[in-house]
Amino acid sequence: MKLIGVDVGGTFTDVMYGDTENQDIAIHKVPTTPDDPSRGVIQGLREICERFDVDRGAIDHVLHGTTIATNAVLEYKGAKTGMVTTEGYRDILHIGRHQRPQHYSIMQEVPWQDRPLVQRRHRKVVPERLAPPDGAVLTPLDEDAVRVAARELREAGVEAIAVCFLFAYINPAHEERAAEIIREEYPDCFVTTSSAVSPQFREFERFTTAAMNAFIGPKVRVYVQELERALADNGFTADLHVMGSNGGVATGAMVSERPILTLLSGPAAGVLGGAMSGERSARKRLITFDIGGTSADIGLVVDGQFAEATARDTWIGGYPVMAPMIDIHTIGAGGGSLAHQDAGPAFRVGPQSAGAEPGPAAYGRGGNLPTVTDANVVLGRLQPGNFLGGEMNLDAGAAHKVMGEFGEQMGMTMEAAADGVLTIINANMANAIRSRTVQKGHDPREFSLVAFGGAGPLHGVEVARDLGIPEVIIPPYPGITSAAGLLTTDLKYDAIRTEFQTSGNVDRDRLSRDFEVMRAGLAAQFKTDGLDDGAVEYQRSGDLRYVGQGYELRVPVADGPVDEASLADIFKAFEAIHTTEYGHVFADNPIEIVNIRVTGIGQMPKITLPTLPQGGDLQAAQLDEAQCYFRLEGELAAVPTPLYERDKLPIDQAFEGPAIVLQKDTTTVIPPGARATAQSGGNLLIETGA
């Protein structure tokens, strides 16, 4: 099969073509078009097909990582949203849990109050009430009141409506009927229910998740529909699949209904691509480190498994989100991050970015502020005549000018200012990695750092040294690793059900029955998508906690009926995970099964990267030599540094730093004291010397 993965970043849109039969691979990059990302997507697809003589009509699948949903939340540019909720509970979205994002600040922003997803005047209440534990009807749904609410919201110009009732996670009947009525009264409106988006307890988080699905729904749906139309208009007959936050892809139809699934679409693909690269070097404990033009995304792979976000730390733009997603931490650190002096006046780098337009000064598009990219040019680590494989020339003069001016402002030389920029940005990224490793019970020294993205290989070794990480893996195509990850994924859907069962009083038959019901529901969805059940793998898990604890931990659950032995295994696994996370257990405390989950994984065709033949000569791989700046014994010094062409590096022959490795989609910096080896699996393995 012929596949194309396309990932939209803040600066570039990355495209990768793969043929699963003859193992052809091709990569391409085009500038991102922020005003309409689909233009860059279509441009990238057209150009890669033209350059490599691929018939557009022969492409079977286009797999897409998008930031449409993410940006709509972060920029607060979603739809005008309404809500219909249970009488007496209009203000759940505003009250929240009385959490303070900053515990000790008297001047702070509370996102769900200062930037509400649903304005109070657009929150309508209707009589209805269900009761736990079985969802019995206490107050019937007032259908006339729902019709009135729908008409009022329509007249107010609301574009999307979230239906959020108490205890709908137990019994969705009232929400589903209310949604039917709203669609009758307002057919053009985007309507969603909390029970469809997040059928689990915690009203504030469930309501917020549903409201966010409505808030981003119209924009995502229009984008997906327009992209599908543009694909058809340009001769592409391929099925469109969109990357989800959970590490799998979903159909365009599914994403149009549940855009909340795509909040971490692009970063999730990067983790997949990083995991694929780690596997080719036989490494199963990985820190994925994706640096683009605007941000750095950090993920964790332990024993081949992605770390998943939990209810206590799943936040987007300051809002809690209860949707399955890979645990990814994002900070404002990338090639476009701006160096500046704050009011202190302290030396700062980021989180502000020059973005795609105008970009760094070195891009020659009018940027006049110093960035990380400009610092790398000044220090000789980026070669102006060999950027994007020579397809784009960097303006070294502009980079030197802005960095020189910034150095004067800071009272230091141009080179010292550039070195300061890299020191600060590397420290920021190292601290971000510590927050996902050390603070969660993982020793980063036991991991390999997979550095990718356009800027990851520029910084990977120095960041790894800050953390004591012994080796860095540079994938074969670092700059488009997220696009490559798209070509290794599967269809993936999740189901969840709240249980509230306590050890010593567990209804095992109920657990077994609920697992099977959820599995059957997922099987029906995969059948709708054209997959037989035999092509689907199902994984089960549970969210457990000690009784009285605030949040849960995710625990794997073996397949088959839940009996006494398997239940004991579940509780034992919980204690082991609790020890890793918190350093202790409460052996005598009862354990509560809060939620159970089933994940369905439908097999998709995947690319396989070719194994590189032995041979090659280091001298033949050397293109030139440049003066690059590195710190030697604490002093910044210009060091003669060989420039190597990656495709010509000898396989399994180590070479010492300093060295710069050039390829189309990135530049890899190997500082003095590090050693690099090009492996037959395609990776560049760098021993950091840490």
Side-chain angles (χ1 to χ4, degrees):
M1 285 195 174
K2 294 178 172 59
L3 315 172
I4 294 183
V6 55
D7 178 67
V8 179
T11 305
F12 289 102
T13 293
D14 304 328
V15 189
M16 186 172 190
Y17 163 78
D19 189 325
T20 62
E21 295 175 4
N22 59 25
Q23 305 306 321
D24 284 344
I25 299 289
I27 65 171
H28 188 49
K29 295 173 83 77
V30 297
T32 292
T33 50
D35 61 311
D36 179 9
S38 67
R39 288 196 296 109
V41 171
I42 296 298
Q43 179 189 347
L45 292 172
R46 285 201 311 259
E47 290 184 3
I48 199 168
C49 288
E50 290 167 3
R51 293 189 178 204
F52 299 97
D53 196 26
V54 178
D55 180 6
R56 301 180 190 181
I59 304 297
D60 296 287
H61 297 283
V62 172
L63 301 107
H64 181 30
T66 175
T67 57
I68 293 293
T70 314
N71 292 342
V73 176
L74 297 181
E75 298 171 3
Y76 194 58
K77 293 181 178 177
K80 188 175 184 179
T81 305
M83 174 180 281
V84 177
T85 190
T86 306
E87 192 173 47
Y89 293 87
R90 181 183 186 185
D91 293 317
I92 282 179
L93 283 184
H94 181 88
I95 296 170
R97 298 191 175 277
H98 287 287
Q99 293 164 312
R100 294 166 60 89
Q102 301 171 40
H103 290 299
Y104 303 107
S105 174
I106 62 172
M107 297 181 66
Q108 60 178 296
E109 180 186 74
V110 181
W112 54 90
Q113 295 179 358
D114 295 341
R115 293 179 284 110
L117 297 170
V118 185
Q119 299 289 335
R120 192 173 192 271
R121 60 184 173 275
H122 297 145
R123 301 179 214 146
K124 306 296 182 179
V125 298
V126 298
E128 73 84 36
R129 191 64 181 268
L130 304 171
D134 56 0
V137 177
L138 291 183
T139 303
L141 175 67
D142 189 331
E143 297 190 0
D144 291 336
V146 175
R147 293 189 185 279
V148 170
R151 292 166 187 168
E152 290 176 349
L153 291 172
R154 182 185 61 194
E155 291 169 3
V158 162
E159 303 164 272
I161 298 174
V163 183
C164 305
F165 293 153
L166 290 185
F167 303 109
Y169 65 89
I170 302 174
N171 180 0
H174 281 185
E175 282 195 351
E176 291 172 351
R177 178 56 184 150
E180 289 177 3
I181 294 170
I182 294 169
R183 292 187 180 105
E184 292 170 6
E185 295 291 334
Y186 193 0
D188 296 333
C189 188
F190 182 97
V191 183
T192 190
T193 65
S194 75
S195 54
V197 174
S198 180
Q200 53 187 308
F201 90 111
R202 295 193 173 97
E203 282 82 5
F204 170 56
E205 289 83 359
R206 175 163 55 90
F207 285 18
T208 299
T209 302
M212 185 175 290
N213 195 66
F215 183 75
I216 63 179
K219 180 170 286 190
V220 172
R221 184 164 63 184
V222 168
Y223 175 78
V224 170
Q225 291 173 347
E226 290 295 328
L227 182 56
E228 289 180 327
R229 188 177 298 112
L231 287 169
D233 291 343
N234 283 272
F236 293 94
T237 58
D239 294 328
L240 175 67
H241 290 87
V242 181
M243 187 72 200
S245 308
N246 63 353
V249 291
T251 63
M254 173 63 80
V255 168
S256 295
E257 289 301 316
R258 299 184 192 178
I260 197 86
L261 298 174
T262 67
L263 282 173
L264 293 181
S265 176
V271 176
L272 293 178
M276 176 185 67
S277 297
E279 186 177 339
R280 292 183 69 82
S281 291
R283 305 299 196 269
K284 292 186 176 295
R285 295 175 68 81
L286 308 166
I287 298 166
T288 63
F289 186 48
D290 180 5
I291 310 177
T294 306
S295 62
D297 302 315
I298 298 150
L300 210 64
V301 180
V302 180
D303 298 329
Q305 300 296 314
F306 313 123
E308 295 185 358
T310 62
R312 68 180 182 274
D313 55 14
T314 307
W315 297 75
I316 300 292
Y319 305 96
V321 179
M322 290 202 301
M325 56 182 66
I326 295 175
D327 188 7
I328 301 170
H329 184 51
T330 300
I331 64 169
S337 294
L338 295 170
H340 61 280
Q341 189 180 46
D342 69 12
F347 194 148
R348 302 283 187 187
V349 183
Q352 301 87 355
S353 173
E357 295 291 343
Y363 284 7
R365 297 174 182 164
N368 58 4
L369 297 173
T371 68
V372 173
T373 295
D374 298 312
N376 277 305
V377 171
V378 167
L379 297 178
R381 302 183 181 195
L382 283 176
Q383 299 301 304
N386 202 319
F387 191 69
L388 292 183
E391 293 185 10
M392 178 177 174
N393 289 320
L394 296 178
D395 188 341
H400 282 76
K401 180 177 182 296
V402 297
M403 197 56 63
E405 292 172 349
F406 182 66
E408 289 180 11
Q409 181 185 354
M410 298 302 300
M412 57 182 67
T413 66
M414 176 181 67
E415 291 81 8
D419 180 64
V421 170
L422 298 193
T423 300
I424 292 171
I425 201 75
N426 289 342
N428 291 344
M429 291 185 289
N431 286 333
I433 292 174
R434 288 188 183 96
S435 74
R436 315 317 286 178
T437 54
V438 177
Q439 294 180 20
K440 291 181 175 291
H442 299 288
D443 187 344
R445 296 171 296 183
E446 297 175 355
F447 288 74
S448 301
L449 184 74
V450 186
F452 55 95
L458 280 164
H459 300 264
V461 175
E462 291 177 340
V463 171
R465 283 176 168 176
D466 281 353
L467 296 159
I469 296 173
E471 62 182 25
V472 174
I473 296 170
I474 309 298
Y477 309 103
I480 52 92
T481 297
S482 290
L486 290 165
L487 305 187
T488 68
T489 189
D490 296 299
L491 276 174
K492 189 174 182 181
Y493 299 134
D494 298 271
I496 184 171
R497 181 166 292 194
T498 295
E499 295 286 329
F500 286 130
Q501 298 202 52
T502 306
S503 58
N505 190 32
V506 175
D507 186 338
R508 298 193 300 270
D509 290 338
R510 174 185 160 193
L511 282 180
S512 298
R513 184 173 60 253
D514 288 348
F515 272 126
E516 286 305 311
V517 169
M518 288 191 292
R519 175 175 175 147
L522 292 176
Q525 180 61 56
F526 283 114
K527 187 176 181 179
T528 301
D529 294 343
L531 264 71
D532 290 333
D533 202 49
V536 181
E537 175 191 353
Y538 296 96
Q539 299 174 350
R540 310 194 309 186
S541 62
D543 299 335
L544 279 70
R545 65 184 181 184
Y546 289 113
V547 173
Q549 236 176 350
Y551 291 97
E552 307 80 50
L553 296 174
R554 191 75 45 82
V555 177
V557 176
D559 203 8
V562 179
D563 55 23
E564 190 172 344
S566 62
L567 194 62
D569 289 340
I570 293 170
F571 293 143
K572 185 178 180 181
F574 166 75
E575 290 186 332
I577 294 170
H578 196 282
T579 300
T580 299
E581 186 81 11
Y582 298 113
H584 62 270
V585 296
F586 300 103
D588 298 327
N589 280 33
I591 299 170
E592 186 174 37
I593 302 173
V594 178
N595 301 314
I596 58 174
R597 300 171 182 266
V598 178
T599 298
I601 303 170
Q603 297 299 313
M604 293 275 292
K606 300 174 180 64
I607 60 166
T608 301
L609 298 179
T611 299
L612 302 179
Q614 294 291 322
D617 180 79
L618 192 62
Q619 286 187 333
Q622 185 170 342
L623 296 171
D624 202 349
E625 185 176 274
Q627 293 291 317
C628 300
Y629 286 84
F630 296 98
R631 286 204 169 269
L632 301 175
E633 299 180 354
E635 297 294 326
L636 188 64
V639 182
T641 304
L643 308 177
Y644 296 114
E645 186 176 354
R646 178 159 181 182
D647 290 343
K648 295 181 180 180
L649 288 174
I651 302 302
D652 295 332
Q653 179 183 324
F655 59 96
E656 305 290 334
I660 303 291
V661 178
L662 303 172
Q663 62 189 103
K664 179 177 179 177
D665 54 323
T666 195
T667 296
T668 301
V669 174
I670 304 166
R675 171 185 289 188
T677 306
Q679 299 181 308
S680 60
N683 291 331
L684 184 64
L685 184 68
I686 305 173
E687 300 169 60
T688 66

